[in-house]
Amino acid sequence: MRAFLTALLALPAAFGGPLSFTLPGGPATGRFRIYFSTPSSDPDQAPMRENADEQSTNQVFAFDATVLSPDDVFTLNATHMGYPLGSISDLPPKTTFLVQAEFVPYEKVERVGLPPTYLPTSCVSASGMNGAYEKPDGTSYSETILWTAEDPALTINLVNVIPPSKPLSPGCAGLGDGVDSKYIKTLRIRSELLTSFYEGTEKTLEACVLLPEGFDEHPDARYPLVLAGGHYSPEFEPGGGFSETMPDCDPEVDGYSCVDSIYKKYLHGNWTDLSTASPFHEGRVIMATLNHPVPFFDDSYMVNSESMGPYGDAIVTEMIPAIEKQFRGIGEGWARGIMGGSTGGWESAAHMILYPDTYGYALAACPDSVTFTHHTSVDIYGQKNAFFYDSDFKRTPVPGYRDGYSGQLYPGYDVPYGGVVSTVQEMNLRELVLGENSLSCGQWDAWEAVFSPVDPDSGYPARIFDKKTGEIDKDVAEYWRENFDLAHILTRDWDTLGEKVKGKLHFAVGGSDSFYLTDAVYDFREQLRAALDGGEEEAGITFTFGAHDEGLGFQHCFRGYEYYGNEEESETGYRQPQPNSITRLTYVQDVVPRMVQQFIKNAEQVEGADVKSWRY
Ligand SMILES: *[C@@H]1O[C@H](CO)[C@@H](O)[C@H](O)[C@H]1NC(C)=O
Ligand SMILES: *[C@@H]1O[C@H](CO)[C@@H](O)[C@H](O)[C@H]1NC(C)=O
C-alpha cells in the first residue's frame, strides 16, 4: 500500500499549494477528514489514530463529498471547517506537518415517517473492543505524509480501506465471531420492531450471555437475569471480563492489559466456585451484555428515540424474553437486574424508571446526565448558552472534561488533580468538524440523537444548542425534559412509579467525575428532596459520592466503594478504597451478590416466586 503524490497545477494559496484528495473506491457519499499533527513526537504516529480521543489536540479539517469516480479530485479550501483552527488559512506558514486523510462513508437510511437521510454506515468495528472506537468497515484512509505549508500543490490518494471486521472479531467468548464456550454463548435475534422502523432493513440485536456454574447439572433450575449495560463490545465485558485461563504475563512488565486479563480469570474462578467462599454462593444468575450500535454512536442508550428507533422496546420485549427463553430465565421483573457505568449507568437508571415492571434492581454507576439541570456541566433549562456562563460582559467558558487521575499520583498524568483539558465549546466544535448534523459518532452528538426529536425537514436530530454559538433551543430542551430527564420523570410520575422503584435504584458517582457527571446526580437527589417529604430515604434510592480517604474525589468512572486491606486494619480505618482501575474490573463480583439479596427480598411480594432452584 502506498500513497500517490501528484503535483497539481493550481494557484498557490497563502499557506502553500492546495491539498487535494482522491478516493479509489467510489462511488460513495461521506465525509473527508484531514488530520494534521506536528512531527515533533513520533513520526510513525498516524494523526488519524491520535485523533480518536476527545482530548486530542491535533488539527482536523473536513467537508462532505459525493465521489462519483476515482478521477474526482477534492480540494481542501479556506471555507471548510476546522478544529481547533477554524480554517486552513489559519495554519502557521512554513511549518511542517504530518498529514493524513480519511473518508468516512455515509449511506442513505430510510426510517418510518422520516425523510431519507445520509447517516454513517456505522460507528463501530466488530474487531474493536469495549470503548475502543475502531474505525468502521469501509473507511478509507491515506498514508501519513509529511507536508510543509509552503510546498507546491499535493494530491493525496486514500488508497487504504478498513476491511470487513467480522473475521477479526473476538466474538462474545473471545474465540472468534459466533464461537461459543462452555460458559459464554452468543444469541442474535432479528428485531421486528427495529426492522420495521428502518423500513425493512434487517436489524439484529446481539447478546453475549454468561451461564452460571451448574447450568447443565441443574436442568430444572430457572435463573434471574442480570443485564450489564455499556458500550459496544464484541466480547462479553460486563465490567471486567471472563476468561478460563490465567494469562502468562507480568503486571510490572506488561502493564494494565495484564491486570485486566488476570481479573478475567479471577471472575471465572469466583463464578465457577460452588463453595461458600464464592461471592455468588447466595444465588446463581444468568448475565448478559447487549450489542446495539446505531448510526450515531456505538450504543443506542437502550431507549426509544426518534432518530434511532424503538431500542428500549426492542430490548425489553424482544431481546430479554429471547435470552430467558433460550437459557431458562425466571422471566419476571423481581428477578431481573441491570447495572452499568457511564453510558451503561444512564441505561440502568433509565430502564428502572421507564420500564419499572421489568427490573428488580438497578445500579447506575457514574451515569451520563440523569437530569439536564446539569447536562455534564450545562444547565440546559437555566442557561441561555451551553458554551459560556450567562453574564452581561464576562465570557467564562463552561468546562467539559477534566483530565483523568485516580486520586493516586500515577506518573503520566499531566494534571493529576483534574485540570480542565476541554471546554464544552471545544468538544462540540470538534464534533461539528468531524460530522455535521450530529453525525460525528461523538458523545455530544450521540446524546442529541437520543434525546432530541427529529427535525422533520432535514431528518436529522434537532439541535439542543447551536453547535457553533452554543445558544440553547428551549423548545428542544422541553422535549428533553419530558422524555429523557430521569429525575423529572421519576418525580413527575412518582404516584405510579414510586412503589415500583423503591429500594431498587442505586447511584454511585465520583466526587470529581471527569465529565462533571457528579453534578446531575447531586441534582437528582435534590429533586427528590424537593418532591418528597422524606427525600431519597422515602424514595428508597441510595447515592454514593466517591472520595478517597484524603478527600480527593474519584474521577470517571466510580462505581461504588470496594476496599482492600485486612479486617483488623479496617476497624482502625486503615482500609483503602480500591482505585477505579480495579473496581471497573470487579462489577460482577461486587454488584451481583447485592442484586441477589434484593431479588430475594422482592420475591416476598410475589406469590409462588422461585427462590430455591437457582440458589446452590
Ligand atoms: C470550497 O470547496 C467547496 C466544495 O467542498 C466548494 O463548494 C466551494 O466553492 C469552495 N470554495 C472556494 C472558495 O474555493
Ligand atoms: C475471586 O476474585 C478475587 C479478586 O476479586 C481473587 O483474589 C480470588 O483469587 C478469586 N477466587 C478464585 C477462586 O479465583
Side-chain angles (χ1 to χ4, degrees), residues 495-515:
D495 288 349
T496 50
L497 288 178
E499 283 309 313
K500 300 178 178 185
V501 171
K502 241 178 210 179
K504 297 174 187 162
L505 178 55
H506 307 277
F507 289 100
V509 67
S512 307
D513 185 276
S514 320
F515 301 98

Side-chain angles (χ1 to χ4, degrees), residues 63-65 74-80:
F63 56 90
D64 288 338
F74 297 85
T75 302
L76 180 63
N77 70 43
T79 69
H80 293 134

Side-chain angles (χ1 to χ4, degrees), residues 129 170 172-174 233 235-247 257-271 585-586 589:
M129 287 303 291
C172 289
S233 171
E235 196 169 343
F236 177 74
E237 265 281 351
F242 183 94
S243 167
E244 295 178 36
T245 47
M246 187 55 94
S257 68
C258 177
V259 177
D260 184 88
S261 313
I262 291 172
Y263 272 84
K264 287 184 179 182
K265 172 60 185 155
Y266 284 161
L267 176 56
H268 168 265
N270 284 191
W271 190 256
L585 306 177
T586 57
Q589 292 96 318

